[in-house]
Amino acid sequence: MEVLRVNEEEKLEVLKRLAEKALKELEEAYKRLPDTDNGKAYLFRGKERVRLMLNILEEG
């Protein structure tokens, strides 16, 4: 079995795409929850964490 070697740039690109997809899904879920649901606070914090990760990845 051959081991796939991935360089750091490729790893960062994959992480960036995953974070972008997660952010999009969190934003959609946030829009769909009723305003009275406490889950919105959890989604908002998760969305902000993913946004922060994206900012870090884009800087690096």
Side-chain angles (χ1 to χ4, degrees), residues 18-36:
L18 288 171
E20 288 170 346
K21 183 174 173 107
L23 182 59
K24 182 179 178 185
E25 291 173 354
L26 284 166
E27 287 173 346
E28 286 299 316
Y30 184 81
K31 290 177 190 175
R32 295 175 195 271
L33 279 177
D35 288 337
T36 57

Side-chain angles (χ1 to χ4, degrees), residues 1-53:
M1 182 175 186
E2 188 177 325
V3 176
L4 180 64
R5 300 228 182 251
V6 181
N7 67 32
E8 290 300 313
E9 189 175 308
E10 291 170 329
K11 288 179 187 178
L12 289 175
E13 185 59 35
V14 169
L15 285 173
K16 183 179 172 185
R17 281 185 287 177
L18 288 171
E20 288 170 346
K21 183 174 173 107
L23 182 59
K24 182 179 178 185
E25 291 173 354
L26 284 166
E27 287 173 346
E28 286 299 316
Y30 184 81
K31 290 177 190 175
R32 295 175 195 271
L33 279 177
D35 288 337
T36 57
D37 190 338
N38 286 338
K40 267 196 155 181
Y42 291 106
L43 284 174
F44 180 79
R45 287 195 299 267
K47 190 171 70 169
E48 291 306 306
R49 286 186 194 111
V50 172
R51 187 170 285 135
L52 178 60
M53 286 188 287

